[in-house]
């Protein structure tokens, strides 16, 4: 099953795309590594370096200002969590796509066909600066030949880049888990409180798993306008035949 008409590439294009996809694998692997560092390790590293006394005794938390946390932390969890989920899933989707396309570029069975395409989003449906509401965002590294594996990859890409409620909900739950966990570990909590806090940290993660499972059918329905009339919506898992 193909997302577009198959165009036979020239010999030069077949050779060049091997190195092109390999370069993209390296690039997106580096971006994913930087993204994980920035969204997971940077904050506790910065807070831990602020001083040896722990967050509970630091100047960051003054008793007169603690009431602000009731309003600030949920908003911060939503913003930080959503950005984190976007960075990691978008990078992961691109890395998996580039790796798959690189392997296909080496496979003689794919020598006579175009391997990937780009889809232009419209009307601000994708993540990007304000200008993209008018110019759109080009989603690249979309495999032309759809299999179950590449459909999963494309679903990861679409759900990362296209604004949807599932991404926001998962981002909020992850943000709650992350900020709470970093907080109690650097406070630091000791004794029996560690067990209690560890259990509380796990609850939003359970929520993430529950959301992913309960909304699994919706992931395949998130599709840019440019692909609505393609075979994408008529392939697995919408159609199991």
């Amino acid at each position: 099953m193909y997302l577009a008409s198959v165009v036979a590439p020239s010999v030069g294009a077949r050779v060049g795309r091997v190195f092109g996809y390999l370069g993209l694998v390296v690039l997106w692997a580096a971006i994913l590594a930087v993204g994980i560092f920035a969204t997971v390790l940077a904050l506790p590293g910065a807070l831990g370096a602020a001083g040896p006394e722990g967050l509970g005794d630091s100047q960051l938390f003054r008793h007169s200002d603690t009431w602000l946390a009731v309003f600030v932390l949920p908003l911060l969890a939503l913003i930080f969590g959503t950005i984190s989920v976007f960075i990691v899933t978008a990078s992961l989707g691109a890395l998996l796509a580039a790796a798959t396309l690189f392997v296909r570029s080496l496979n003689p069975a794919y020598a006579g066909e175009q391997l990937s395409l780009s889809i232009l989003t419209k009307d601000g449906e994708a993540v990007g600066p304000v200008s993209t509401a008018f110019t759109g965002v080009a989603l690249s590294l979309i495999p032309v030949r759809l299999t179950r594996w590449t459909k999963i990859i494309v679903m990861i890409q679409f759900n990362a880049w296209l604004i949807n409620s599932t991404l926001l909900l998962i981002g909020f739950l992850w943000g709650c888990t992350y900020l709470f966990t970093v907080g109690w570990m650097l406070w630091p909590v000791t004794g029996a409180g560690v067990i209690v806090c560890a259990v509380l940290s796990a609850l939003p993660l359970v929520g993430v798993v529950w959301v992913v499972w309960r909304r699994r059918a919706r992931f395949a329905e998130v599709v840019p306008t440019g692909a609505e009339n393609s075979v994408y919506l008529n392939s697995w898992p919408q159609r199991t035949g």
Side-chain angles (χ1 to χ4, degrees):
M1 187 173 291
Y2 297 87
L3 281 176
S5 300
V6 178
V7 179
S10 63
V11 175
R14 292 202 301 268
V15 174
R17 69 187 184 183
V18 174
F19 298 99
Y21 289 132
L22 177 59
L24 289 172
V25 169
V26 175
L27 174 63
W28 281 108
I31 293 175
L32 178 60
V34 172
I36 292 175
F37 173 80
T39 59
V40 177
L41 302 177
L43 180 60
L47 293 177
E53 68 275 8
L55 290 182
D57 297 323
S58 70
Q59 294 298 315
L60 293 174
F61 293 88
R62 299 178 180 177
H63 295 295
S64 60
D65 297 333
T66 52
W67 63 272
L68 290 175
V70 177
F71 303 97
V72 174
L73 288 181
L75 180 61
L76 184 61
L78 175 62
I79 296 174
F80 177 83
T82 301
I83 293 175
S84 300
V85 170
F86 161 70
I87 291 175
V88 173
T89 54
S91 302
L92 177 62
L95 174 60
L96 292 176
T100 300
L101 293 169
F102 170 67
V103 172
R104 285 186 173 184
S105 70
L106 299 174
N107 189 341
Y110 293 86
E113 61 187 63
Q114 177 183 344
L115 296 183
S116 63
L117 53 79
S118 297
I119 297 176
L120 184 65
T121 64
K122 300 178 180 179
D123 303 325
E125 61 186 350
V127 176
V130 176
S131 59
T132 58
F134 306 97
T135 62
V137 175
L139 303 182
S140 303
L141 293 176
I142 307 299
V144 172
R145 189 193 293 194
L146 278 184
T147 61
R148 290 198 175 191
W149 169 244
T150 54
K151 183 67 179 285
I152 292 173
I153 293 174
V154 176
M155 284 193 291
I156 294 174
Q157 292 175 294
F158 285 172
N159 280 273
W161 284 99
L162 301 180
I163 301 172
N164 60 86
S165 60
T166 301
L167 175 68
L168 295 175
L169 181 55
I170 292 175
F172 175 70
L173 292 173
W174 166 249
C176 290
T177 295
Y178 180 78
L179 294 179
F180 178 72
T181 302
V182 170
W184 69 258
M185 291 183 70
L186 296 181
W187 193 262
V189 174
T190 58
V194 173
I195 299 176
V196 175
C197 288
V199 172
L200 293 176
S201 291
L203 291 179
L205 286 181
V206 173
V208 170
V209 175
W210 184 84
V211 169
V212 171
W213 176 253
R214 291 287 296 178
R215 297 195 174 194
R216 63 190 184 279
R218 300 188 186 183
F219 292 127
E221 298 172 357
V222 177
V223 57
T225 304
E228 286 181 343
N229 296 323
S230 68
V231 298
Y232 180 84
L233 291 177
N234 294 319
S235 60
W236 176 90
Q238 290 96 327
R239 185 177 62 81
T240 57

